[in-house]
Amino acid sequence: DIQLTQSPSFLSASVGDRVTITCRASQGIRNHLAWYQQKPGKAPKLLIYAASALQNGVPSRFSGSGSGTEFTLTISSLQPEDFATYYCQRLNTLFTFGPGTKVDIK
Amino acid sequence: QVHLVESGGGVVQPGRSLTISCAGSGFRFSDYGMHWVRQAPGKGLEWLAIISDDGGSNYYADSVRGRFTISRDNSKNTLYLQVNSLRHEDTAVYYCAKMAFDDWGQGTLVTVSS
């Protein structure tokens, strides 16, 4: 079964920082990957699908890249509303989530 | 506007069964496959199951296969998840989501406790 890992697990950053989160798959999954943002007490919000496609309405400071086994989510300039937990997810028959990366205020 | 509303959560004793529901509106419910995802308190997201648009096929996470059953009633625009032999570790917020995970409900909390 394909497993997803994320690094780092926790990230402390300041407003305006460039932030990069990595997701690694134990086997190649082509571009079948999504990224989500989740705030406490709320449902996850889809940010990126197909590894690099920006979901409608998501700010352009969010971007995704990668293929195969290594993927990245980049926030080009962190905004106050971006402090949240971010998850990657395999998009295929079994829709496994990564363990999450919490982005906190430095 | 898409609206997904889960219901049916609550406190349930270990070993009991529970069926939770997800009512969809604002879109043609019968055109979309649907998912269930859960999140235990303070933990990450766990995908549970998917059902096709017509209900004819489904897949489950290994961790719940055989104990959880996903179903739907397109005449009622409603998705269901039946959970049998509830365990303490099934305590979680249960979310439904549309096929592409672009729309989610607000979740319903299931607490397994004696």
Side-chain angles (χ1 to χ4, degrees), chain A:
Chain A
D1 196 22
I2 296 176
Q3 304 297 320
L4 298 179
T5 58
Q6 287 183 235
S7 60
S9 301
F10 180 85
L11 187 159
S12 186
S14 301
V15 172
D17 284 353
R18 182 181 182 89
V19 168
T20 299
I21 300 168
T22 299
C23 176
R24 290 185 175 87
S26 58
Q27 299 176 40
I29 57 173
R30 294 192 283 182
N31 70 335
H32 298 157
L33 192 97
W35 289 96
Y36 299 84
Q37 176 192 71
Q38 188 181 32
K39 297 181 179 179
K42 300 294 186 182
K45 174 186 175 183
L46 178 65
L47 301 175
I48 302 284
Y49 62 95
S52 60
L54 192 68
Q55 173 67 4
N56 287 344
V58 174
S60 59
R61 64 181 179 272
F62 291 93
S63 64
S65 65
S67 182
T69 61
E70 187 156 330
F71 304 85
T72 59
L73 172 70
T74 299
I75 309 171
S76 59
S77 178
L78 199 65
Q79 297 302 299
E81 60 269 30
D82 300 337
F83 293 97
T85 299
Y86 293 84
Y87 295 92
C88 60
Q89 182 199 26
R90 172 192 175 192
L91 294 178
N92 211 316
T93 310
L94 297 176
F95 299 83
T96 313
F97 286 92
T101 296
K102 185 175 182 180
V103 178
D104 210 344
I105 303 173
K106 184 182 286 185

